[in-house]
Amino acid sequence: MRKYHALPVALLAALALTACQDGTGTKDEGAAHPDPASATVTATHPAEDGVGGKGTSGTTGTQGTTGATGTEGASGATGTQPAKGDKAAKGDKATKGTTATRDSCNGSNTTVTAQPVRRPLNHMLLTVKNTGSKMCDLTYYPVLRFDEMQWVPRPIKDSKPQAVTTLAPGESGYAGVSLSAADGSGEWGTTSHKLTVGFQGRTPNSDGGPSALPTLPAKGVYYDSTLTVTYWLRDMDDALSY
């Protein structure tokens, strides 16, 4: 902090006489105010300048440098709000989890129903409802097996969703099953009374957990060699549109 000392009375009188002789009056005194040293002190000690700068013609410049606005901008509430938002976002991620940490939907945490529909013809709707307490993923497409069938129905590639179908507790996902050719061109047609629905894991054709055994109608379900299935989808109408 710069200290100032009172000047002797004789010296003050001499300075005043010199100023009068130059004919400049107090103009010289005014030109000396933008002292670089004073500016340095102002930037370094903003709290002191509010006191030391009073009564001088340099007060305006000091206030512009050390105004309260600049200080508040650095530590104001607006600056701390994004941090709170970040915490909220992290909390949201922790609630939903990531694809790597969420459970796979399977026969242990869902209920599965298989219901033939009138339209479109020769179609059946699979419905999977999340009965667990956490979110789960329906990955890829269901692996179907009627009775002791030795082959796996192929998926309809055009039905593949852009993202994995994720179910919150209580939510349902769907898959449409095209059982047989409407024109009768399919082969090995037979009626089945038992259906096993298998679930895939994080990689194609991997084990996703326990299978489900939905009940079929008492008269059974007819299928042939054209049997296909959609990927797991969130919308029932989409599942029946293939």
Side-chain angles (χ1 to χ4, degrees), residues 15-111:
L15 290 175
L17 179 60
T18 302
C20 293
Q21 291 175 351
D22 290 341
T24 57
T26 58
K27 291 183 181 179
D28 284 349
E29 184 179 356
H33 285 311
D35 183 3
S38 299
T40 302
V41 173
T42 297
T44 307
H45 304 288
E48 296 174 3
D49 286 315
V51 178
K54 289 183 178 180
T56 67
S57 60
T59 303
T60 302
T62 301
Q63 291 177 344
T65 303
T66 62
T69 302
T71 303
E72 293 177 355
S75 60
T78 301
T80 60
Q81 288 176 350
K84 294 180 181 179
D86 290 342
K87 291 181 180 179
K90 291 179 180 178
D92 185 57
K93 289 182 179 179
T95 302
K96 293 185 177 180
T98 63
T99 300
T101 59
R102 286 194 299 264
D103 292 339
S104 294
C105 299
N106 54 47
S108 68
N109 55 13
T110 66
T111 57

Side-chain angles (χ1 to χ4, degrees), residues 4 12 14 25 71 75 123-125 140 202 210 227 236-238:
Y4 297 91
L12 289 175
T71 303
S75 60
H123 275 64
M124 181 173 69
L125 178 68
Y140 305 105
R202 300 299 175 187
L227 178 66
M236 180 191 307
D237 292 334
D238 287 346

Side-chain angles (χ1 to χ4, degrees), residues 124 126 141-154 177-180 187-198 216 221-229:
M124 181 173 69
L126 294 179
Y141 51 89
V143 180
L144 304 183
R145 185 183 184 188
F146 286 98
D147 293 329
E148 302 302 321
M149 189 169 63
Q150 299 299 310
W151 54 283
V152 177
R154 65 183 183 277
V177 183
S178 178
L179 296 167
S180 60
E187 300 179 321
W188 321 314
T190 185
T191 298
S192 174
H193 294 84
K194 178 183 178 182
L195 173 62
T196 301
V197 178
L216 295 179
V221 171
Y222 178 84
Y223 71 92
D224 63 23
S225 60
T226 64
L227 178 66
T228 55
V229 63

Side-chain angles (χ1 to χ4, degrees), residues 140-141 200-207:
Y140 305 105
Y141 51 89
Q200 300 186 61
R202 300 299 175 187
T203 57
N205 303 316
S206 63
D207 185 6

